[in-house]
Amino acid sequence: MKIKTVFIAEDEPLARETLRDWIHDHPQLRLIGEAADGASALKNIDLMMPDAVFMDIQMPEMNGLEVVKRLAHLPEFIFTTAYDQFAVTAFELNAVDYLLKPFSRERFDAAANRLQEVSTPSAEALQLTLKQALEPDTSVLKRILVRDRGHIFPLAMDEIEYLKSEEKYTVIAARKKTFLVRIGLSELSARLDPCKFIRIHRSTLVNLDFVESMKADEQSQLQLQMRDGTRLVANREASKMLRNMSI
């Protein structure tokens, strides 16, 4: 049985600790390094040249897909993330496996065992699939995974009432709650159904299915009354567009 060296790229301390403990339980794996952000992962993976990497996708400074794009040394990858929309991209990169958080010990063991069954693709082949996979994805999202009180669960896009930008994060209103996700509004907006979601402001998108009514204010800007009681104001351009959409 060949022993494979592995590296962990994960920004969450608890997740790193769990991966570390589980890796140590597999005699065919030897942990040689860790990183808590994308920049450190890029530097240390090229330096240590592990056989395989457990790669988180959403990390500070540089996401996991960008790290893969810039690596000179190309190991095998097991991607770990809370966002299922990256699964297709991960497998286009010839990933050994894709662990969707929170994953079980049984699921981890299956991924670790798969490392013994696969051979590392050539650098040329991986770079080609990487170039193809990192092309902008314009497909419409069906769901997103969100966190709430320590739990992660799928949220259908049809359940979202509105989205608001908050620096590098996006606030999502759904199920009478708000969720903060580490994805920019511009990135999300490109993957939303344009027949449902309308940008009413530079920092706000609304799902028209959850708009109770609209009424013009003194500046002729439409005030949107949402079903949950929230009031949102459309800028002049969006107000004009919404008026033109009316019958």
Side-chain angles (χ1 to χ4, degrees), residues 176-195:
K176 299 181 180 180
K177 300 179 181 179
T178 56
F179 307 93
L180 189 67
V181 298
R182 192 164 57 188
I183 302 178
L185 184 62
S186 59
E187 182 181 350
L188 273 175
S189 64
R191 306 283 304 280
L192 298 177
D193 184 350
C195 295

Side-chain angles (χ1 to χ4, degrees), residues 95-178:
V96 173
D97 211 334
Y98 185 91
L99 299 177
L100 191 60
K101 298 177 182 178
F103 49 85
S104 65
R105 173 60 188 265
E106 181 180 8
R107 186 68 185 83
F108 170 87
D109 289 343
N113 290 334
R114 288 196 65 193
L115 284 173
Q116 295 297 317
E117 303 169 3
V118 298
S119 59
T120 304
S122 68
E124 293 79 8
L126 187 52
Q127 288 288 11
L128 177 61
T129 54
L130 175 62
K131 179 179 178 181
Q132 296 170 337
L134 291 179
E135 291 296 320
D137 190 349
T138 57
S139 59
V140 174
L141 280 175
K142 298 298 184 182
R143 69 186 62 81
I144 189 171
L145 296 188
V146 296
R147 298 174 183 269
D148 182 42
R149 299 178 183 178
H151 295 276
I152 301 173
F153 56 91
L155 179 67
M157 304 311 285
D158 287 345
E159 297 180 85
I160 296 177
E161 301 169 29
Y162 60 88
L163 307 94
K164 300 188 72 173
S165 177
E166 188 170 301
E167 296 182 354
K168 295 181 181 180
Y169 298 84
T170 298
V171 176
I172 296 178
R175 302 182 183 178
K176 299 181 180 180
K177 300 179 181 179
T178 56

Side-chain angles (χ1 to χ4, degrees), residues 6 8 19-26 29 31 54 108:
V6 297
I8 297 171
L19 285 171
R20 187 187 309 128
D21 290 343
W22 291 354
I23 288 171
H24 286 159
D25 289 341
H26 281 262
L29 302 180
L31 181 64
F54 287 86
F108 170 87

Side-chain angles (χ1 to χ4, degrees), residues 27-88:
Q28 77 273 27
L29 302 180
R30 180 164 65 89
L31 181 64
I32 61 172
E34 303 177 10
D37 60 77
S40 298
L42 175 62
K43 176 182 177 180
N44 287 293
I45 292 170
D46 275 340
L47 179 65
M48 299 179 180
M49 300 180 66
D51 295 317
V53 176
F54 287 86
M55 176 74 76
D56 189 12
I57 291 183
Q58 293 293 341
M59 291 188 293
E61 299 189 31
M62 190 187 305
N63 69 42
L65 298 179
E66 281 296 318
V67 172
V68 177
K69 180 180 179 181
R70 301 186 187 190
L71 283 171
H73 169 69
L74 294 172
E76 296 161 353
F77 292 98
I78 295 178
F79 286 100
T80 62
T81 183
Y83 303 98
D84 64 349
Q85 70 264 31
F86 296 112
V88 174

